[in-house]
Amino acid sequence: MTIDSAALDHDLALRLRVEDFYAEYSHTIDDDRLEDWPGLFTENGTYRVTTRENFDSGLPLALIYCDGRGMMEDRISALRTANIYEPHVYCHLTSALRVLGASGGEIRARANFTVLRTMPEGDTTIFACGRYFDRLIEEDGRLKLRERLAVLDSRQVDTLLVVPI
Amino acid sequence: MTIDSAALDHDLALRLRVEDFYAEYSHTIDDDRLEDWPGLFTENGTYRVTTRENFDSGLPLALIYCDGRGMMEDRISALRTANIYEPHVYCHLTSALRVLGASGGEIRARANFTVLRTMPEGDTTIFACGRYFDRLIEEDGRLKLRERLAVLDSRQVDTLLVVPI
Amino acid sequence: MTIDSAALDHDLALRLRVEDFYAEYSHTIDDDRLEDWPGLFTENGTYRVTTRENFDSGLPLALIYCDGRGMMEDRISALRTANIYEPHVYCHLTSALRVLGASGGEIRARANFTVLRTMPEGDTTIFACGRYFDRLIEEDGRLKLRERLAVLDSRQVDTLLVVPI
Amino acid sequence: MAMATASTRAAGFTWPNNDLSRAPYRVYTDPDLYALERERIFQGPTWNFLALECELPNPGDYKATYVGDAPVIVARARDGSISAMVNRCAHKGALVCYKRRGNVREFICVYHNWTYDLAGNLTGVAFKRGVAGKGGLAADFQPERHGLEKLRVETCRGLIFGTFSDDTPPFVAYIGAELAANIDRVFPKPLKVLGYHSQILPNNWKLYAENNKDSYHASLLHVFHNTFGVVRPNMGGGVKISNSGWHHLSYTQRVSLGDDEVAREKVRSLQEQYRLKDPRMMEHRLELGDNITNAIQTVFPSLVVQQILNALAVRQIQPKGVDRTELVWTVLGFEDDDEAMKELRLKVNNLVGPAGLISMEDGCVGGWVQRAAKANPDATTVMPMGGRNVEASEGSRITEAAVRGFWKGWRECMGF
Amino acid sequence: MAMATASTRAAGFTWPNNDLSRAPYRVYTDPDLYALERERIFQGPTWNFLALECELPNPGDYKATYVGDAPVIVARARDGSISAMVNRCAHKGALVCYKRRGNVREFICVYHNWTYDLAGNLTGVAFKRGVAGKGGLAADFQPERHGLEKLRVETCRGLIFGTFSDDTPPFVAYIGAELAANIDRVFPKPLKVLGYHSQILPNNWKLYAENNKDSYHASLLHVFHNTFGVVRPNMGGGVKISNSGWHHLSYTQRVSLGDDEVAREKVRSLQEQYRLKDPRMMEHRLELGDNITNAIQTVFPSLVVQQILNALAVRQIQPKGVDRTELVWTVLGFEDDDEAMKELRLKVNNLVGPAGLISMEDGCVGGWVQRAAKANPDATTVMPMGGRNVEASEGSRITEAAVRGFWKGWRECMGF
Amino acid sequence: MAMATASTRAAGFTWPNNDLSRAPYRVYTDPDLYALERERIFQGPTWNFLALECELPNPGDYKATYVGDAPVIVARARDGSISAMVNRCAHKGALVCYKRRGNVREFICVYHNWTYDLAGNLTGVAFKRGVAGKGGLAADFQPERHGLEKLRVETCRGLIFGTFSDDTPPFVAYIGAELAANIDRVFPKPLKVLGYHSQILPNNWKLYAENNKDSYHASLLHVFHNTFGVVRPNMGGGVKISNSGWHHLSYTQRVSLGDDEVAREKVRSLQEQYRLKDPRMMEHRLELGDNITNAIQTVFPSLVVQQILNALAVRQIQPKGVDRTELVWTVLGFEDDDEAMKELRLKVNNLVGPAGLISMEDGCVGGWVQRAAKANPDATTVMPMGGRNVEASEGSRITEAAVRGFWKGWRECMGF
Ligand code: FES
Ligand code: FES
Ligand code: FES
Ligand SMILES: [Fe+3]
Ligand SMILES: [Fe+3]
Ligand SMILES: [Fe+3]
């Protein structure tokens, strides 16, 4: 198989950077460094979590809808200071990452994700699985999410959703 | 660590393409674009799903045995028009991909996979996990499966198996 | 996005090799080639499995603590010859791999992992998930683990832990 | 049949001292009581929410739902009328609808192809004459006696309710005019579904039913809530309770009272004052002709009608076992919402639902009671706030009257 | 013991109107009836499939299986005879075999090293004299009274059956000569295992047992099936039922009848005509000396013998709880199959098993009944096809006679 | 209440022939007996391990644990005293502590903000006077009668125990001076927690409780164990049993006896001799003033005190349902351990815990009994080693006396 080395380098570099970004996104949440999570988005970035049930029916409702970093920061402050819930941790697994294209400095990517949630008593369950649909751009040398849409396969949320997916 | 850049490029390119192919395979099924699934195989490609119980005992029975694209297309038409089952979606997770070698234009690869199945009521379960053993070739610039063998870790299939793994 | 091709090659090569190593680690265990497992570590390599409960509290206790390859080999001999347990298989899923840095010939890396355990009766469950924190070096052209610390998200181990994570 | 069924096993259950302000923990943990609730409450003299009319715009539209844990179909017939029936084939009992929604000419059970019209009447039996004169239906088979089991249906402001019992009074009489008025108030014009949430609660369904009637907890458990003045004890409002005691309405108005009682309490929830970086999700357009910011209404046993600022919803309680409950949220707007209003509703809905900044706590607190309950099923809760009886309360929500009303309804249905 | 066990709790159960054409839904959902079935059906006067002789070719070969949900070992002894015993150590009850298959000289329980011969007799007790004259077995211990609990075994055409009861008649008398003939027909020569499937059914075991006896559903639920003429109502065949009513055989022949009844029905399953791109999986080599394309035979309570074209199998029903069942498929060929025949069987097996194009529906339809059943355990199914009794039917499978026969067997064993 | 509760349903249970050497399998599988154990054993006249004093060094420190399956809080008050109470709010029953550990000034229930002091006394009721003179506590409410349910607490060598019953004798009298001496022996100085393990056992809690008292299995099931001489039947040691029979101590000394009985047995566990590549994990520093290598002590019903070489631990048995148990290991060292000793303990702990080379088998063998038990709940185990009674045994551990003692305790508590 012959390959255009320059194009290859570029594709590889892009893939590498996007993969690293996804890994960093996972570790930021799974390490409970949630104060750093809004910084993975652009100032006006949007973050939505919805279900296949709503998504496939074209229903606009989301479980979480953050329109800009401010709302993301409010969510994090709220879960640190105001909300009551049983402490728990996530383990993110992402797979089937595809960089769908890059144009005008914007990168479109998607991946499958699974979030395993572990409770203090010790039970680990599949809290969520589904698909990320993302638009990323580069800002001062780092990739940031202009948009992340997480579509959960299940209609259901067990107990509550407080930590971002 | 010093590296031979040319060999590296080649390995990287191959790895990149195989990874992309696996991702595309997952999305084709998880997006319910099943009519495109047979096209991921060569005309005479084979697709078999079996269990570790049978595989390790050298027993030839498979849960699904498609000998050529025609049988794959028949499976898809059947599940669209004839078979009765509760609608559900898969989320494929693949990991531990290894390109084992490439010779005579054929690439041997393997990976671990997990399929999470979500039912309309909302319950998500580990429907299957196990190992893919694959042989791929390049056809008009695209990778295709000459053979995919999916070996399920479990003896058991919950309820029924209709959507390919 | 402009990239320094040499640096890129180097990073890519390293990422590629670490990814391959993680895949090989998974297959070695999931294929039940456990006798090869200690060889993935250096002669004086350490392997520890602990829980977030102990890790976050700074408690030194581990579920498994192998200080050198000898103890790893003893574990494998014991499970082959002495220990009694219901036979079972693992399916490793690793994700969010990050190469955190390489200095003085040592590579620091981390990843999320999940181990699905399948029992002879057929039930597959999430046996463990959590984070690997690793230090690797190159020995006669192959990567080896100088240290692997597996931190399980859950406090609990179902039934028993005999096969390494 | 005479066997020791749930009803005979539970028969000896008695309510301690006939006191509505104490409930034995056993009511949350006993599978025999759970089975009896299916028969005596959900299939008893109660109205249960089924769907919204706007979910079934066309003839042949159907939706599969549950009453208690019994699967039920609600459908719109050719003549536009709405029917409801148990989703269980009269032949061998398969689900007739195994998809959650759809549009059909008739209902066809896939197992043996028996067919039913949209009202659930049996219209066809495959091979009823057999083949080649052999086999086929028993001579004495009477098709008219083998339709799907039907529910009686009523609608109110676009909400569809069903009941298994002939004794259930008409819906407005059931909840009373005073509470019916709030349904008119919240749903004054044609509705539009913005989406659904489904939340699994790790607890008995009654713990969530009580939670909605528990106007005492709102300002104490939901901190985000009162920190931002959506509900504060020192705002106006009150609790209305139907004469039966079964149903309630708790509401809040922007009318300030003296802050002193609040000051006197060291309420955890007021300890830190906290401001939003982006307050858009708290915007409130007064759209219902009054200054009520927050109205939570219950229809015994399984419906909650919600207005929180501009977040409108109905919540349906679906028991899934003695210690597991599904809460189905249907989030609503009005057909004539403009884009800005639609966007506002989507933002305000950050406050409610399974990830709601002011509602998520209700998802876990019931589970904490469930886990503690089994320590001793014969111990009891106490509900002493606002006395021991079931009376409405003007100007204060610091009462458990509506919760005691819930137990009044439960005991009357269960016969304990 | 006198405690309120399943049997006393279920004691009051009565069958409605003594009518075999109606079954109360409770039979699928009641855990007390489930516990009683263990004792009265699976450990009662019934023959239960255990294994195939070809799975135990050598002395010392064993296989761990289940009768009902009781773990059982079947093994071949030195003298070639086959024994079966409960897989529970006579000492403290550990599984003696915790691996599913193997070859051993004797059975050794790992917990305390008690040993048993291949027929389950206790042959050794570790430290029975203690150590240094201290400890050891109680003086009154009688080893011969502490073997593994044994089952009586019979074989038929390479199939191994076991029973817990002394009252069970010999196997051929149990199923009757007419049905025994079909076992001779399907398994005329030495068998070879091609592989196994295990399918988890989300329903009570009886729903699957009925399904196999339900010759009415085949042409209606399984569309792929009759679309391709494997079974069509207008082919020849019929239903044979043992005199006891407990067992049945449903079969199809390539003999055409008038199509008119079929035409008269608007059977969903005939609505779309559909052709295969690759018909090799439908090839049928007549190998059994007749033109029967399809024969499904049941041996009450837990075995199905299958011939579908050249797909041969036995299916064992293993209850795993009141609402969960494991179906174990042992897929067979003959020892003397040539490569082409083996390949044909592997292809034809696309039709059956958990992913079978003509059988997968049976995996979900039982779960749909299970979910609907709990809506009301005292309601009943109706089985009016082909009358109300249990008679065989020549030339038509449009009858529920064999299903009524199943309930006859169930009632006779259960004593209801 | 009069309903058919666990106690009335189980009331008829009787122990077969009053024989301590046989236990019916039903005791492992019956949910009614399980519910009764909560009341009569764990909340009966027994001492249950709660925590270690070194886990609660400071006033306000608390730990959430379980007694049986009832959630319990243990806390250190301002005056240094230790209290224990049920982790269930006296109001509506929420867990008061939903975190496993912490340090607090008072306990605040998040649901409605009721507050309790560190001894569980009710100190505050939110809005007890209502708001604006409306709502608030019923006039007849007596706060002093609404504290958290308290347990009586005793400590012994840094171990904290609690009991629900007033009849439980003082701790040392409960276990007897002879067994109390081993606690003094193993925990002679201030303790330090090295870490925790939690192991889920797929079996009834009693199967693990028996396993610890079963000195017969150690040398037979745990091969690694005796292959390396940690315990061999031909070493010295014995079994001590409290006068009550409820509690035991099994210990081993490095004193050789004649090997002949052992030789006479073909004990699987001695068949292969096997040597370690790295024996550091087997090092033993004699630190307790004697040559005992191994001492396993039980305190009925739920505690195990462990010394295996230098691996010290307490194991707490937490039932989680009739067929599921959590075993919580608190692994210990001494405050004055130097680095080398700490490192040695960490290595030796490879032998024990869920991954322990000499203990892992106990994690699965109970599940194998649980699975086999349901084959027939009315069959019984047999425990004939060392006679039929409950007497101590010098110099031999080949006895089931301590297990019979467990059943003596069980029957005395349960009243069967
Ligand atoms: S179960 Fe519906 S037609 Fe038979
Ligand atoms: S349980 Fe089998 S030897 Fe003790
Ligand atoms: S439940 Fe604790 S304060 Fe109400
Ligand atoms: Fe609330
Ligand atoms: Fe079928
Ligand atoms: Fe042990």
Side-chain angles (χ1 to χ4, degrees), chain B residues 18-154:
Chain B
V18 175
E19 270 186 27
D20 276 354
F21 179 83
Y22 275 58
E24 183 52 28
Y25 184 99
S26 298
H27 294 310
T28 301
I29 293 170
D30 300 353
D31 292 349
D32 193 29
R33 293 183 276 112
L34 299 178
E35 283 69 13
D36 300 339
W37 171 72
L40 299 172
F41 291 78
T42 61
E43 181 59 36
N44 301 318
T46 62
Y47 174 68
R48 277 176 303 149
V49 181
T50 189
T51 60
R52 247 188 209 253
E53 179 184 38
N54 289 334
F55 185 73
D56 292 352
S57 319
L59 294 169
L61 182 69
L63 281 152
I64 298 180
Y65 170 29
C66 295
D67 178 22
R69 227 186 249 158
M71 286 192 183
M72 301 179 205
E73 290 163 354
D74 287 333
R75 281 243 162 217
I76 303 305
S77 325
L79 72 85
R80 293 295 193 206
T81 64
N83 292 125
I84 302 293
Y85 52 91
E86 199 163 356
H88 54 269
V89 296
Y90 283 172
C91 181
H92 274 74
L93 300 169
T94 56
S95 184
L97 167 65
R98 296 248 17 217
V99 175
L100 301 173
S103 60
E106 178 176 278
I107 303 150
R108 286 173 303 97
R110 66 177 289 186
N112 286 351
F113 67 85
T114 296
V115 174
L116 303 178
R117 184 191 60 187
T118 301
M119 302 302 291
E121 292 283 297
D123 44 307
T124 298
T125 55
I126 302 166
F127 180 65
C129 68
R131 297 168 296 170
Y132 286 132
F133 297 102
D134 297 331
R135 295 188 302 122
L136 301 100
I137 63 162
E138 187 172 19
E139 248 180 32
D140 24 286
R142 293 179 50 225
L143 290 180
K144 300 210 169 179
L145 284 160
R146 178 176 275 172
E147 178 183 7
R148 165 152 281 187
L149 170 62
V151 180
L152 309 182
D153 282 350
S154 175

Side-chain angles (χ1 to χ4, degrees), chain B residues 1 3 5 8-9 12 15 19 52 95-98 110 112-114 126 129-131 153-156, chain C residues 9-10 12-13 16-17 19-20 23-24 27 30-31 89 91-94 116 118 120-122 124 126 138:
Chain B
M1 275 151 269
I3 48 168
S5 185
L8 166 67
D9 282 353
L12 287 175
R15 150 73 70 99
E19 270 186 27
R52 247 188 209 253
S95 184
L97 167 65
R98 296 248 17 217
R110 66 177 289 186
N112 286 351
F113 67 85
T114 296
I126 302 166
C129 68
R131 297 168 296 170
D153 282 350
S154 175
R155 304 168 44 244
Q156 296 181 337
Chain C
D9 282 353
H10 185 275
L12 287 175
L16 176 69
R17 300 179 73 215
E19 270 186 27
D20 277 354
E24 183 51 29
H27 294 311
D30 299 354
D31 292 349
V89 296
C91 181
H92 273 74
L93 300 169
T94 55
L116 304 177
T118 300
E121 292 283 297
T124 298
I126 302 167
E138 186 171 22

